[in-house]
Structures are given as C-alpha cells and as structure tokens.
Amino acid sequence: MRILVVGGGYVGMYTALRLQRKLRERLKSGEAEIVVVTPEPYMTYQPFLPEAAAGSISPRHVVVPLRRVLKNCTIVIGEAERIDHAKRTATVTTLATGEDGTGALEIPYDELVLAPGSVSRTLPVPGLADFGIGFKTVEEAIGLRNHVIEQMDIASATRDPAIRDAALTFVFVGGGYAGVEALAELEDMARYTSRYYHNIKPADLRWILVEATGRILPEVGEAMGKYAVRELRGRNIDVRLDTRLDSCEGRVAVLSDGSSFPTRTLVWTAGVKPAPILAATDLPLTGRGRIRCTAALRVEGVEHAWAAGDAAAVPDLTSSEPGTETAPNAQHAVRQAKVLADNVAAALAGRPLEDYRHAYAGSVASLGLHKGVAHVYGRKIKGYPAWLMHRVYHLSRVPTFNRKARVLAEWTLAGLFKREIVSLGSLEHPRAEFALAAGGHVHPNLPADRRTRDERRTEDERRTEEGGPPGTSG
C-alpha cells in the first residue's frame, strides 16, 4: 500500500512525519510506503522569513531538511504535473526528467494526501513581472536582503540624484503578515546599516506600504491594526491605505491615488492563491480553486483522497456562521496535519474518523526589533511584550529540537553582537566570476547593475592587454 503525499510544506511534512510514526511497523515490514513529492528537499518555516531577510536568523535555520526528518519516507524532488485519481496515478517531473529523456514519472498510489500549499497571487499590473520581487520563499527573502543593501551601495556611489532617490525608495504592496513584517524588519535593518555609510542617513531612506483595503494586519483586529499603522508612520514609513498599484513599468511605481515613485525595489505580497496542480486533477474544487473537503479532511465525495492547508476548503465547525471555512494560515495547517494523519491511519485500520475543530486563538505580528502587535484570546498586546510573544510562539512551533536550539542560539548571539550588514548577492550567480575569467562572457541572468560593472571590467582587461590604461572608455 502506497500513501502519496503531494507537497512538503506544513501539512505535507507534518502529515508524513506523524504517519511514519503511526505506521512504523507496516513501514518496516514493507506492507506500507509513504512517498512525498515536493519541489524542494526542505520545508520552509515562513514566519521566520522576515527575520532571515533582516539577518537575525541564518537562512539554513529557517528550513527543515525533509530527508533527515522523514527518514522512513521516500522523498521525490519534483513537481506533480497532473493527478488522475480515477486511475490513482500522479504524473511527476523530476530534476532528471529532462536529462535522461525518459519523460515524467507515473507514480501509482492507494491513498492521496494533497498539500501543495499556495503560490503568490499576482494581478495584471504592467511591469510587475519584470521588476517585482516576491516574499514567499527563503531564496526570495535572502535575495531581497542582498538587494536592499546593494541599493544602498549604489546610492552611496552614484553621482546621479535620480538614481540615488530611486535606489533608496522601497515599495511594498500588501498589508498582510508578509508585507508588514518584511517591510518592518528590513526597514530596521537598513536604518541600522545606514550608520556605516558616510553619505546616507536614515531619513534618506523612503519606505512605502501600499494596501488596497482600509486596514493592515486584519488578523490582529481593527484596534491593533490601527496601532500598527501609527507605529509604522511614526518611523517615517509612508502607509497608503485604500490604494492600489496601477503600474511599475520603467521602474516607476504608479499608485491609484495619482502619485508615482521611481523605485528600484518593488516587493509584492498581495495575497496567495492555490497551487496550480489543483486545476490539473479530477477532484472537486470550489469557486476559488481550493479542494472541497469534509470536516474530517477527506475530499468531498471521493474515497482515498485527503487534503488540508492552504489548498483545502475545510469547514470551520467553531464558527457560528454556516458555510465558513478555516483560514489558510499556519495555525490551522499544523493542527489539520495532525488530524489528517490520524484519520488516514484510522481509515486504513477501519476505525471512525475525527472531525477537525479548532477555535482560532489569535495572531501575533512583528513590527521590527522589540516591536510588535498581538490579539490573543481577546487580549490586545503591543510593543515589546507582543514582540516577545511573537518570538516565543514561533520558536515553539518551528519543527525539530535542532532548529529550536539553533534559532534560540542565534537570537542570543544577536543580542550580544552587532548586526551583519554584508550583501552576498553574488551567491545567486556563483559561476559568473569564473565564466567571465574563462571566456569573457557575462552571465545573461546577472542583474543589470552587476552586468554593467562586469562589462566595464572586461573592457578594462581588453585595454590592458592592448597596452592602454584601464578605465578610459566613455
């Protein structure tokens, strides 16, 4: 018997982890097999992405290696392209698919657990695909950190006021957790970093938060949302409510209120949508593209198929309003994974299933170092206590004792020593230096700024070989 888990995020990892414990004897005897299909060999603990971007946590401590945690599962690094539940097969492309020419894998299964999560929800905004930066993966978080510091380097070195202003203007679109926490942490980091530049002051940095609705952080309640706006504006962050991004062509952010800002940094965090694989299945979906589920986390009207997390529309049994679904957040995902694994094991043993029921406890959000807001069990908390609660809660939730200890050690050391302010943007293109030295060819995917610099260096090397002084080109 094979259980196929599609997705290695919160639900996928926690479900597989609990199943390998509950089915230990079956797995040892070969009677059962758990196969996890995931695009990355790790699970990302997304609430820590803002702190990773700010340098408070190392990127490797924000992720959990699946092969280490899921020792009794088979991990397949690849993308599920199509699922035919009628035939109980999943079509999966792997890293080797294009290399060996054998085509996609056809993985048969007996039980299906769909937990592919979500992807960034974008809008047809002109220029967004060319200049926008997401904030959903650890790669995006570290890339954004490097980018912000690199923009400060550009602003410090340029003699063009227009380039300087654009480099020091940072626009974030989306007032949810991701947008607010990322902006707040990076603003903290950049303000600290500016003390090491002789010609950049904190007041030179311009941070703009664009939110289409009339409030930010709706999860923490209206009162704490208003406090968060006051806190951000008190740090000279320009918070624009009831405002949309109309265009960002030519690196100019044009807003619906008529204002425009030349900027070299536009971060898009305006919501998520279900993973595309859901549309390539024969399972029932809601109008929003999520899988219809029962309260027991079984796909509605379908045997041997289960789902939870961002991809699933799960009835909220604690709500007094009929038809309410659980919110697509980490708090529900982790708890749903436990119930899902128990129900899969119960179904295999012929035992009755358990309904998922969890009253939403509240939310906490960081607004930068030592600042935060929280709305927990009806209590409103702000400032340092909320920030501390944010850290304690997420430290308790990050998987494995190993990760907990490492994160706690890093927080302790960060309190004793100064922040790191180094940009390691070249890590994104590790072969660029060697390729340039070996053949003089610039990597086509290098950012324009670094490409221009390397092209200039190539020109200098050519002139030196010809006997002329470097740096004399127009």
Side-chain angles (χ1 to χ4, degrees):
M1 179 198 61
R2 175 179 290 161
I3 302 172
L4 177 64
V5 180
V6 177
Y10 292 110
V11 174
M13 191 203 76
Y14 279 112
T15 299
L17 181 62
R18 193 169 180 85
L19 279 173
Q20 76 175 4
R21 292 172 184 164
K22 300 186 80 66
L23 303 178
R24 183 181 292 110
E25 297 305 320
R26 289 194 180 190
L27 293 172
K28 284 183 179 179
S29 65
E31 182 184 346
E33 178 188 17
I34 302 172
V35 177
V36 180
V37 175
T38 174
E40 305 293 347
Y42 52 79
M43 185 275 265
T44 302
Y45 191 72
Q46 292 183 342
F48 279 159
L49 288 184
E51 293 205 47
S56 300
I57 302 177
S58 297
R60 66 184 183 278
H61 297 157
V62 179
V63 299
V64 180
L66 295 178
R67 296 188 191 279
R68 177 184 296 175
V69 175
L70 304 178
K71 296 178 181 178
N72 297 322
C73 300
T74 301
I75 308 297
V76 178
I77 306 303
E79 293 273 2
E81 301 289 340
R82 187 171 62 258
I83 294 175
D84 188 342
H85 190 65
K87 296 181 179 179
R88 307 274 182 89
T89 61
T91 303
V92 178
T93 57
T94 68
L95 296 176
T97 299
E99 299 287 338
D100 56 21
T102 57
L105 296 176
E106 290 287 340
I107 301 180
Y109 61 82
D110 298 287
E111 298 285 336
L112 173 68
V113 175
L114 260 180
S118 57
V119 297
S120 295
R121 176 177 59 85
T122 59
L123 299 175
V125 176
L128 180 61
D130 298 320
F131 303 111
I133 304 172
F135 198 81
K136 194 164 172 55
T137 67
V138 66
E139 293 86 357
E140 288 174 329
I142 304 310
L144 182 57
R145 168 187 169 81
N146 293 331
H147 174 82
V148 168
I149 297 177
E150 190 171 84
Q151 296 311 304
M152 297 178 71
D153 290 336
I154 291 172
S156 176
T158 186
R159 288 170 287 183
D160 187 330
I163 292 179
R164 175 186 169 90
D165 290 346
L168 296 181
T169 300
F170 307 95
V171 179
F172 285 67
V173 181
Y177 278 125
V180 172
E181 291 190 339
L183 183 151
E185 292 283 356
L186 284 166
E187 189 273 338
D188 247 357
M189 183 270 294
R191 182 163 23 88
Y192 175 88
T193 303
S194 66
R195 69 178 66 181
Y196 296 100
Y197 290 83
H198 70 282
N199 58 351
I200 297 180
K201 299 181 179 65
D204 296 334
L205 301 166
R206 186 171 193 182
W207 299 83
I208 303 167
L209 177 64
V210 180
E211 168 55 39
T213 67
R215 57 192 288 196
I216 66 172
L217 296 175
E219 297 87 351
V220 299
E222 185 175 357
M224 288 296 94
K226 289 180 178 178
Y227 167 80
V229 170
R230 292 196 302 271
E231 167 67 25
L232 295 176
R233 285 174 174 167
R235 290 156 58 179
N236 292 322
I237 296 173
D238 186 355
V239 181
R240 304 207 171 202
L241 304 177
D242 296 310
T243 307
R244 300 180 309 278
L245 176 70
D246 285 344
S247 170
C248 56
E249 288 184 305
R251 286 183 166 176
V252 176
V254 180
L255 307 184
S256 60
D257 61 7
S259 57
S260 62
F261 307 94
T263 178
R264 301 167 68 89
T265 308
L266 191 138
V267 184
W268 182 269
T269 62
V272 295
K273 63 181 180 181
I277 178 59
L278 301 187
T281 72
D282 53 354
L283 300 174
L285 305 179
T286 67
R288 295 185 177 182
R290 300 168 75 191
I291 302 174
R292 293 185 182 276
C293 290
T294 66
L297 305 176
R298 189 169 240 161
V299 177
E300 195 173 274
V302 180
E303 295 291 325
H304 309 292
W306 314 77
D310 291 1
V314 179
D316 187 353
L317 300 184
T318 65
S319 175
S320 58
E321 299 181 12
T324 304
E325 299 171 356
T326 58
N329 57 38
Q331 186 176 142
H332 282 300
V334 173
R335 288 174 169 83
Q336 286 174 358
K338 177 182 177 181
V339 176
L340 195 160
D342 289 348
N343 281 349
V344 171
L348 296 177
R351 300 194 304 270
L353 306 184
E354 173 191 354
D355 284 346
Y356 174 74
R357 184 188 300 269
H358 170 67
Y360 192 58
S363 299
V364 291
S366 169
L367 298 178
L369 192 62
H370 300 159
K371 297 175 284 289
V373 291
H375 190 191
V376 181
Y377 293 114
R379 296 190 61 188
K380 301 177 180 64
I381 307 169
K382 59 187 179 182
Y384 183 86
W387 172 82
L388 184 61
M389 183 179 293
H390 173 270
R391 282 202 159 183
V392 171
Y393 173 78
H394 286 300
L395 183 65
S396 70
R397 294 299 174 183
V398 69
T400 78
F401 176 78
N402 179 297
R403 284 294 173 274
K404 287 179 172 63
R406 290 177 182 272
V407 169
L408 183 59
E410 286 200 305
W411 281 343
T412 303
L413 291 173
L416 299 175
F417 300 101
K418 296 180 179 180
R419 284 179 184 255
E420 293 292 344
I421 59 169
V422 178
S423 168
L424 297 176
S426 57
L427 287 176
E428 300 166 31
H429 307 281
R431 289 195 64 255
E433 289 290 329
F434 181 79
L436 184 64
H441 299 294
V442 181
H443 195 286
N445 293 327
L446 275 176
D449 304 317
R450 190 171 295 121
R451 188 162 57 244
T452 302
R453 181 194 69 191
D454 289 342
E455 286 170 350
R456 187 178 299 112
R457 186 174 61 183
T458 303
E459 178 68 14
D460 286 347
E461 291 173 351
R462 184 186 63 78
R463 288 178 178 277
T464 301
E465 291 173 358
E466 294 175 355
T472 57
S473 61

